[in-house]
Amino acid sequence: MTLALRYAIRSDVGLLREGNEDSAYAGPHLLAIADGMGGHVAGEVASSVTISALTGLDDEVPADHLLDALAAAVARASGTLHEMSVEDPSLEGMGTTLTALLWSGTTIAICHIGDSRAYLLRDGEFRQITRDHTLVQSLVDDGRLSPAQAATHPQRSLVMRALQSGTEAEPDLFTIEAAAGDRFLLCSDGLSDVVSEETLRETLIRCTDRDQAVGQLIELAIRGGGPDNITCIVADVVDSGTNPPTGQVSVVVGAASNGDGRPRTLTNSPAGRAHPLARGHHDPGRLAARDRRRCLRGLALHAGPVLRGHRRQAGDHLPRDQRAGAGHEPVQRVPAVRDPAGSRARQ
């Protein structure tokens, strides 16, 4: 039996954020999501630099070298973030989460730091295979909080470990064995903080089509208030027979627009090529920030193929000081509260 990955990827800015700081990559051997922190533009730079550092791994890597390859890529990303913050003090403190799966044969190596997540659906059983590096998770592990209490804790958004410009990265690194029929979900906390695990499970079981599944997951997060950027990858492990992996990739840095407020996502694009998406409209006050983003993005693009797009942001019609989601602490997530229906909405 020859196993292969088939996948779909999608990202949305959400309803309250001013920009999209998530970046993601999906290819025949690599799935990765990074959720940037440090505020626009620093967060999106950190996440795109980190994803770029990993894209070169999307190739045949011996199973016994997978963890070393991931660790080396994370070290390169950390070094780049440090150099960039030294050159530009305004980027000081920027950082990102990272959840990545690197595939070889039946072995999947997992690299994880922060509070993005990876889940596995196998034979109807749905479980989180990464552990959040958050304050509330540490309290749950110590028996000082129950999972139910953690869901509404006032400091549940505090990330204790991340890939940051001024600290040494300490990701979790481990392997699992995959089997045909497995379905993986990688997501930023814009999904997992809003949609319950039971709803995630039901959606992944009901939506057998991967593109339909990622679209439905994004929609569920939007219905729950969309307080943060939302990015997810759904990947199925299939028996490819004699057909090798396709060599096609999907890369997202931020979310692009179809012009109707919904994100456009590139799928099955030739590997090694960057495909810009349709750009949204920028008001004059954002032109200087756009030029600065272009300069910073040039630094982020050198390590691998990265797709970049802009979309119309929620709140563009309001004065800047009234726009939702403007600025946040480097590792402090915006808190959310659970509503009676089981979803969460931003306070």
Side-chain angles (χ1 to χ4, degrees), residues 92-155:
E92 179 95 23
M94 70 174 172
T96 183
T97 70
L98 173 65
T99 300
L101 276 61
L102 185 60
W103 166 284
S104 179
T106 61
T107 301
I108 295 181
I110 299 173
C111 176
H112 171 72
I113 186 168
D115 64 348
S116 295
R117 291 182 177 180
Y119 296 92
L120 170 61
L121 177 65
R122 174 180 288 176
D123 298 328
E125 180 184 352
F126 184 67
R127 64 186 179 93
Q128 183 180 339
I129 57 175
T130 54
R131 175 186 173 278
D132 294 347
H133 296 139
T134 58
L135 174 63
V136 294
Q137 183 61 56
S138 67
L139 295 175
V140 170
D141 293 342
D142 292 341
R144 298 165 62 184
L145 280 180
S146 69
Q149 290 172 324
T152 58
H153 194 279
Q155 291 182 300

Side-chain angles (χ1 to χ4, degrees), residues 202-259:
E202 292 174 355
T203 302
L204 292 176
I205 291 175
R206 183 179 69 256
C207 299
T208 57
D209 179 83
R210 290 175 293 276
D211 289 315
Q212 181 185 7
V214 293
Q216 183 63 41
L217 291 171
I218 294 288
E219 187 61 33
L220 286 169
I222 293 295
R223 291 178 188 174
D228 202 352
N229 306 145
I230 314 149
T231 302
C232 59
I233 301 171
V234 172
D236 292 327
V237 180
V238 301
D239 178 5
S240 64
T242 59
N243 296 322
T246 61
Q248 305 299 298
V249 301
S250 298
V251 190
V252 172
V253 178
S257 173
N258 281 323

Side-chain angles (χ1 to χ4, degrees), residues 143-343:
R144 298 165 62 184
L145 280 180
S146 69
Q149 290 172 324
T152 58
H153 194 279
Q155 291 182 300
R156 63 191 172 277
S157 301
L158 185 63
V159 178
M160 305 300 291
R161 286 162 61 186
L163 208 170
Q164 288 187 275
S165 57
T167 61
E168 182 177 352
E170 297 180 357
D172 294 337
L173 293 162
F174 58 97
T175 61
I176 63 173
E177 290 299 307
D182 286 351
R183 170 166 278 195
F184 289 91
L185 168 65
L186 275 67
C187 65
S188 60
D189 68 330
L191 178 65
S192 58
D193 273 2
V194 175
V195 183
S196 70
E197 285 198 8
E198 182 57 32
T199 300
L200 295 177
R201 174 184 177 274
E202 292 174 355
T203 302
L204 292 176
I205 291 175
R206 183 179 69 256
C207 299
T208 57
D209 179 83
R210 290 175 293 276
D211 289 315
Q212 181 185 7
V214 293
Q216 183 63 41
L217 291 171
I218 294 288
E219 187 61 33
L220 286 169
I222 293 295
R223 291 178 188 174
D228 202 352
N229 306 145
I230 314 149
T231 302
C232 59
I233 301 171
V234 172
D236 292 327
V237 180
V238 301
D239 178 5
S240 64
T242 59
N243 296 322
T246 61
Q248 305 299 298
V249 301
S250 298
V251 190
V252 172
V253 178
S257 173
N258 281 323
D260 59 359
R262 305 307 303 158
R264 177 192 294 173
T265 300
L266 181 67
T267 57
N268 294 328
S269 62
R273 297 177 59 189
H275 291 255
L277 297 181
R279 298 183 180 276
H281 297 289
H282 292 268
D283 62 53
R286 290 187 174 179
L287 293 179
R290 180 202 62 186
D291 292 338
R292 181 167 180 265
R293 283 197 297 271
R294 286 175 175 172
C295 293
L296 294 172
R297 192 160 59 248
L299 295 173
L301 293 177
H302 73 279
V306 174
L307 174 70
R308 170 65 183 156
H310 296 282
R311 61 164 288 166
R312 178 176 58 83
Q313 309 299 339
D316 278 356
H317 63 288
L318 298 175
R320 179 168 294 275
D321 60 357
Q322 296 180 22
R323 293 177 188 169
H328 55 281
E329 295 298 321
V331 294
Q332 177 65 52
R333 301 293 192 187
V334 174
V337 295
R338 184 175 294 278
D339 65 24
S343 63

